[in-house]
């Protein structure tokens, strides 16, 4: 169990490297999925285009959504976007930076799928086989077909075993023609994606360095703040449970001692340490109020000690004097009443 905990802590501390690894695995998985996929073109005029473009575009869309699902920062982005304003403003530049960072990682697997599909050529051959220029590549001396018969014959080009239009246009010629176009589109797509990735990763910080550094800093801050808040809540819940269980057993021990005329045992020292970690929040309603206050009104981003409110509002002095710090338990009790 300790080994799994160490692995989980390592993944949390190296989340960016972990997410890059996940994106790489998804990219390899998408290529493997395509190689294992049994491509069966329907070879019908009204279904070839839908089937070919569906195989080309639908799986990348699913992989793109899956990249967002596997990213732990999606919930953090949604929480930051939907939270109330409170004492802390929301910077749209930070939200855009967070979304763009997640979108860049999520697009790796779809790009690999589209690239492999175009370079393979089966989808384009199935989707556009009815658009082969018969006048250029076919037999012009062959007796003419009607428009419907022509499409029916050309739609069977991907299905070599049932193709019956060799007199009109050779199957190998049409397949090579469509596959050549598909591979050209595939390499153009790879070049376009590589150029866009270079521009985004390399040139964007050069033109907006100050905005880039600010957005990256505060996105890291939001991530770290959320992790620390979760850790603090987990520690408080652990201390709360320890004290609650300890009080239950103390009550049972007192009842048994009264029934058997035995003196109750002394309270262990760790129970007092656990009670000290509760910071004065010792009941369910108070804890619910604290969590609700954290969601509705997060503290402002300045490190000055806030003053305790008087009976008619905030105190006049903004910060308490250095020789009289506000106790942590009183501060926790105050925030539980906000």
């Amino acid at each position: 169990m300790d080994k799994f905990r160490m692995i989980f802590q390592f993944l949390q501390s190296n989340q960016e490297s972990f997410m890059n690894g996940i994106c790489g695995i998804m990219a390899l998985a998408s290529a493997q999925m395509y190689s294992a996929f049994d491509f069966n073109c329907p070879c019908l005029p009204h279904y070839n285009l839908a089937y070919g473009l569906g195989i080309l575009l639908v799986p990348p869309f699913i992989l793109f959504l899956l990249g967002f699902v596997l990213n732990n920062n999606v919930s953090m982005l949604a929480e930051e976007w939907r939270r109330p304003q409170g004492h802390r403003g929301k910077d749209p530049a930070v939200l855009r930076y967070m979304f763009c960072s997640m979108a860049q990682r999520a697009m790796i697997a779809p790009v690999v799928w589209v690239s492999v599909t175009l370079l393979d050529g089966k989808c384009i051959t199935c989707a556009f086989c009815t658009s082969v220029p018969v006048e250029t590549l076919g037999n012009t001396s062959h007796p003419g077909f009607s428009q419907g018969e022509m499409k029916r014959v050309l739609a069977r080009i991907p299905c070599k075993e049932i193709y019956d239009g060799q007199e009109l246009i050779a199957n190998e010629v049409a397949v090579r023609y469509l596959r050549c176009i598909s591979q050209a589109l595939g390499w153009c797509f790879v070049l376009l994606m590589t150029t866009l990735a270079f521009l985004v990763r390399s040139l964007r910080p050069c033109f907006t360095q100050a905005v880039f550094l600010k957005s990256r800093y505060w996105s890291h801050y939001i991530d770290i703040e959320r992790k620390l808040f979760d850790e603090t809540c987990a520690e408080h819940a652990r201390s709360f449970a320890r004290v609650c269980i300890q009080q239950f057993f103390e009550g049972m021990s007192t009842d048994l001692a009264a029934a058997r005329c035995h003196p109750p045992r002394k309270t262990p020292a760790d129970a007092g340490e656990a009670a000290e970690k509760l910071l004065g929040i010792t009941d369910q309603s108070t804890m619910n109020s604290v969590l609700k206050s954290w969601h509705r009104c997060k503290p402002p981003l300045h490190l000055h000690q806030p003053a305790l409110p008087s009976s008619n509002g905030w105190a006049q002095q903004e910060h308490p004097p250095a020789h009289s710090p506000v106790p942590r338990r009183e501060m926790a009790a105050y925030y539980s009443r906000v």
Side-chain angles (χ1 to χ4, degrees):
M1 194 66 184
D2 294 336
K3 293 182 179 180
F4 287 108
R5 187 180 295 109
M6 292 176 60
I7 294 174
F8 181 72
Q9 291 176 354
F10 173 78
L11 294 178
Q12 280 190 329
S13 60
N14 299 272
Q15 187 176 8
E16 185 173 358
S17 301
F18 174 68
M19 289 307 304
N20 292 334
I22 289 292
C23 294
I25 293 174
M26 288 184 59
L28 295 177
S30 65
Q32 187 66 25
M33 285 170 55
Y34 180 80
S35 62
F37 177 72
D38 188 13
F39 187 89
N40 292 313
C41 184
C43 296
L44 294 173
H46 301 291
Y47 296 96
N48 284 10
L49 181 62
Y51 183 83
L53 295 183
I55 297 300
L56 179 64
L57 301 177
V58 173
F61 181 73
I62 297 175
L63 292 172
F64 182 73
L65 295 180
L66 188 60
F68 276 98
V69 171
L70 295 178
N71 198 320
N72 295 328
N73 294 330
V74 173
S75 58
M76 180 182 65
L77 175 62
E79 179 183 348
E80 181 67 17
W81 177 48
R82 295 295 299 171
R83 71 172 176 83
Q85 190 80 7
H87 294 301
R88 182 188 300 183
K90 292 186 287 187
D91 191 353
V94 178
L95 299 178
R96 285 195 300 268
Y97 175 83
M98 296 169 61
F99 177 79
C100 291
S101 299
M102 290 185 292
Q104 290 173 17
R105 293 188 177 97
M107 286 181 62
I108 296 177
V111 167
V112 172
W113 177 277
V114 174
S115 302
V116 172
T117 304
L118 290 176
L119 292 175
D120 183 66
K122 293 180 181 178
C123 288
I124 297 298
T125 301
C126 179
F128 299 101
C129 58
T130 57
S131 302
V132 174
V134 180
E135 297 80 5
T136 304
L137 304 176
N139 184 9
T140 56
S141 61
H142 191 273
F145 287 103
S146 65
Q147 190 70 18
E149 293 176 346
M150 180 76 69
K151 287 188 176 182
R152 182 187 61 80
V153 172
L154 295 179
R156 295 181 178 181
I157 289 177
C159 307
K160 188 175 182 180
E161 61 277 4
I162 63 173
Y163 181 65
D164 55 356
Q166 292 290 346
E167 298 83 1
L168 179 64
I169 182 173
N171 181 273
E172 187 67 22
V173 173
V175 170
R176 285 178 176 272
Y177 172 79
L178 294 172
R179 185 168 293 179
C180 177
I181 295 178
S182 179
Q183 291 178 352
L185 292 176
W187 285 116
C188 291
F189 180 77
V190 172
L191 178 61
L192 177 63
M193 291 295 104
T194 305
T195 305
L196 288 178
F198 171 76
L199 294 176
V200 171
R201 301 288 291 180
S202 302
L203 300 182
R204 185 184 64 176
C206 298
F207 294 102
T208 58
Q209 183 67 23
V211 178
F212 176 76
L213 292 176
K214 182 190 71 171
S215 302
R216 185 172 62 178
Y217 175 86
W218 289 115
S219 65
H220 291 336
Y221 171 83
I222 293 172
D223 185 22
I224 294 172
E225 182 188 56
R226 186 190 184 191
K227 292 179 181 178
L228 292 178
F229 181 78
D230 293 340
E231 294 175 2
T232 304
C233 289
E235 182 180 358
H236 187 277
R238 190 177 297 109
S239 302
F240 197 106
R242 184 178 290 111
V243 173
C244 185
I245 295 172
Q246 185 65 37
Q247 289 180 355
F248 170 77
F249 279 100
E250 285 178 1
M252 295 296 295
S253 177
T254 303
D255 294 341
L256 293 175
R260 299 179 182 179
C261 299
H262 293 298
R265 297 182 180 180
K266 295 182 179 180
T267 304
D270 58 347
E273 297 178 358
E276 184 67 24
K277 292 181 180 179
L278 294 179
L279 302 176
I281 306 175
T282 57
D283 61 90
Q284 184 178 7
S285 60
T286 305
M287 190 64 211
N288 292 337
S289 299
V290 171
L291 296 176
K292 188 180 296 184
S293 299
W294 175 261
H295 171 70
R296 290 181 177 178
C297 186
K298 288 188 178 181
L301 295 176
H302 63 77
L303 300 181
H304 301 292
Q305 194 80 307
L308 289 176
S310 60
S311 58
N312 57 352
W314 290 95
Q316 295 298 324
Q317 63 175 21
E318 185 178 357
H319 315 295
H323 61 275
S324 61
V326 179
R328 294 175 63 188
R329 181 173 298 180
E330 295 181 9
M331 289 297 300
Y334 159 67
Y335 277 113
S336 66
R337 296 192 300 268
V338 175

